[in-house]
Every structure is written in C-alpha cells, then in structure tokens.
Amino acid sequence: MDKFIPVNEPSLGEREKELLIECIDTGWISSEGPFVERFENSFSNKVNRKYGISCSSGTAALDLAVASLNIGPGDEVIMPTFTIISCASSVIRRGAKPVLIDADPKTWNMNVKEIEASITSKTVAIMAVHIYGLPVDMDPLLEIANKYKLIVIEDAAELIGAKYKNNPCGSFGHISTFSFYPNKQITTGEGGMVVTNDIQISNRCKSLRNLCFQKNKRFIHEELGWNYRMTNLQAALGIAQLEKLESIIKVKIKNGEIYNQFLEGIRGLETPLKKTSYAENIYWVYGILINSEISTAEEIMGKLKVSNIGTRPFFYPMHKQPVFKEMGIFDNKPFPISEDLYKKGFYLPSGLNLKFENIKKVSEVLKNFIQ
Ligand SMILES: Cc1ncc(COP(=O)(O)O)c(C=O)c1O
C-alpha cells in the first residue's frame, strides 16, 4: 500500500533546531524568555502593526481580542456562519451574541453585501474571518464599519502572509488575530498572536493573557484573565518559521496551481477561485466542491481515506452547531450557501512537504472516484 499522504504537514528544519537548542542551553523555556518579545516584534512588523501580543493559540487570540474590546452582555457581533467555532465562542463566552452572515458561493468568505442589513442598535463589532485562501473583501466591510462606528476584528489565522490589495492580512481594523497551529503557513506547535496599533488594547491583551496579575500587587486581581502565555520554545520556532514565510507562501501557491492543472474542468468538481479583483488565492488549503448529483463530500473523503489520502471536511456552520442549539443562541434562520458548502466541500492534502507526485496521485485517485 502507498504511503499515507497527510492532509497537512509543517516544514521544520535546522534553524528551528538551532533556536530550540538555544532555549535548552540557556534554560529559557517559559514565557519569560527573550524570543517571545523578539517574535512579537518581528511578526507585528511583518503585518504592519505596532504591537504584537503572542499567546497560546488562535482561539486564545480571539478570546483576548474580544475581551480587550470590552464586548459583553447585550452586544452583537456580526460574523460569518461558515467559520471555526473559536470565532463564535469568543463572543458567546463574554455574554454577547454572534449575528451570522452567509458565505459568498465563490470565495467562501462572508458575503459582505449582507452585513448592512444585519446591523441593529446592539451591533458593536464586525468580525471578518479570512477563509481557506482568499481574504474577505475588506474595503466595503471597513466602509460599513466606519459608517456605523463599529469595531473591526480581523481573524487572519488562515492567511498569514496573504495580501488584500497590497496590504497584509492582519493589518485591517482595530485588532487582528492569528493562529500558529501546525497546519498554518508558519507554526509554533500551538500558538497565536493578537496585533493592533492601539497601545491601550495591547496593554489590556497583555494583562488578560497573564491572569491580570498587577505590577505592584501581584496576587491581587481586579479582573479575570487567563494563562494564555506563549513559551520561549514556541517563540523560537516562530522566529525560525517567520524567516521562511515568503518561501512557504510560494510553495503553497505552487501546489495550488499544480492541483488546478490536474483538476480544473473536471465535470462534477469545482476548484477554488484563483483570484478576485482584490486578491490572489494563496491556497492555505486546497478546497474543492463535489457536485451533489455525483456524490457528497463525506462519501468521497471516505473513499480517499481508504486510498491512504488524508482530507478534512469544510466548516460546519455555526447556526447548525448542536452546542449552540442546546444553548438557544440562534433562531432557525437558514444560511443555504454555508450549508451547501459543508455538504459539498472538503480539502485535499495541502502540507508543505507535498511532492509533485503526491499531488498527481491525489488528483488521479479523486478523478477516478468522480468520473
Ligand atoms: C479562522 C480561524 N480562526 C481561529 C482558529 C483557531 O486557532 P487555534 O487552532 O490555534 O486555536 C482557526 C484554526 O484553524 C481558524 O481557522
């Protein structure tokens, strides 16, 4: 049997080893170590932000972002339904309410045209989440936010190193968040980052990630925070990975283009949009849609698994989540595009160690199942 082709794999090398050894040799392994601030500075610099606040995951970054903005009971935050649960949970845990927007059928991002109609007197923020390879159309979103004086939170977890009209993803709105899970463009094992240009928001995030310890009265707490600190070991990986970001993006784009060559034009299968008027696809993952007359995503994923090919389903929309149904968070409003994406979509192996032969094999096996 052929070797398993994983859905994702990071690319780690000598530089990562070198910096990790430095952590061990110096004994700096906790969040107190010098790599943490170095990583925060170089990362925030890369996305044109003044301040970077590292943390333990992309989920933690969203928790910090929402809490630092004082979003709370009675507030509404507009966000996509087609996203990861971390976006909604960060808002719900503060006692606020996510107000969901359906996806655009081509870019799979939130349909910005539907935002304005969802604004109420309770709306305080819009959470823009970039999905899979193309960014949200930020200009019209920022225009609406400006018009209604709303906060903009940008979740750029999936688009490290991508650009929207020549500006880096993560540079838009009041605050942006990232994840460094191993399937992301760069990884720290687990990890995340909040970036902002606002010193007060930055200071609040730093306090919230560190249990809200006080400088002069350490164990006296006036607010509840978390231990969401990033370790020096994670930051060491982050520094080494960030040095390679541009070449990693090139590999992702090249792999996406190879998939396109093999899969474009096949009846019953839809490949991802290559570009929009505002951005090029950087193929964080290579997502495809299966025509419902042919099969379902679930069935094809099952067949690929038997052929030793790893895949992941698309996001299960927030309004369908059993946990939120149980909590009575959303009414029964349907979001047909997102529901359709879940039924039809999944992503193919998109790791950084993929070879041309792997992509060829995956594409041929897939074609066989579809034709
Ligand atoms: C858009 C988005 N936001 C947030 C997260 C959460 O990041 P983490 O897994 O580091 O908690 C992810 C994870 O994949 C994500 O895709």
Side-chain angles (χ1 to χ4, degrees), residues 57-59 62 83-84 86 129-130 155 157-158 179 181 184 191 315:
S57 69
T59 304
L62 283 164
T83 184
I84 193 154
S86 316
V129 188
H130 307 306
D155 180 353
E158 300 183 0
S179 159
Y181 186 71
K184 300 303 186 300
F315 289 128

Side-chain angles (χ1 to χ4, degrees), residues 316-337:
Y316 192 55
M318 290 306 108
H319 65 285
K320 302 283 283 181
Q321 293 291 343
V323 60
F324 296 146
K325 285 215 165 130
E326 179 72 29
M327 292 165 88
I329 303 274
F330 303 118
D331 52 27
N332 289 325
K333 185 178 169 194
F335 295 91
I337 308 288

Side-chain angles (χ1 to χ4, degrees), residues 302-323:
K303 289 183 174 174
L304 288 168
K305 191 176 173 191
V306 175
S307 304
N308 254 349
I309 294 169
T311 57
R312 278 281 181 289
F314 270 15
F315 289 128
Y316 192 55
M318 290 306 108
H319 65 285
K320 302 283 283 181
Q321 293 291 343
V323 60

Side-chain angles (χ1 to χ4, degrees), residues 53-68 84-87 89-91 93-94 127 153 155 157 175-181 190-195 204-210 225-230 234:
I53 306 93
S54 62
C55 57
S56 51
S57 69
T59 304
L62 283 164
D63 283 346
L64 292 173
V66 172
S68 73
I84 193 154
I85 197 159
S86 316
C87 303
S89 63
S90 66
V91 168
R93 288 210 170 105
R94 300 290 304 168
M127 187 184 282
I153 302 164
D155 180 353
I175 194 163
S176 308
T177 62
F178 291 92
S179 159
F180 306 123
Y181 186 71
E190 299 285 350
M193 185 87 74
V194 179
V195 294
R204 247 181 90 60
C205 286
K206 281 185 180 166
S207 172
L208 286 161
R209 90 171 155 186
N210 195 25
W226 297 271
N227 175 356
Y228 277 169
R229 301 183 297 257
M230 175 179 273
Q234 291 168 305

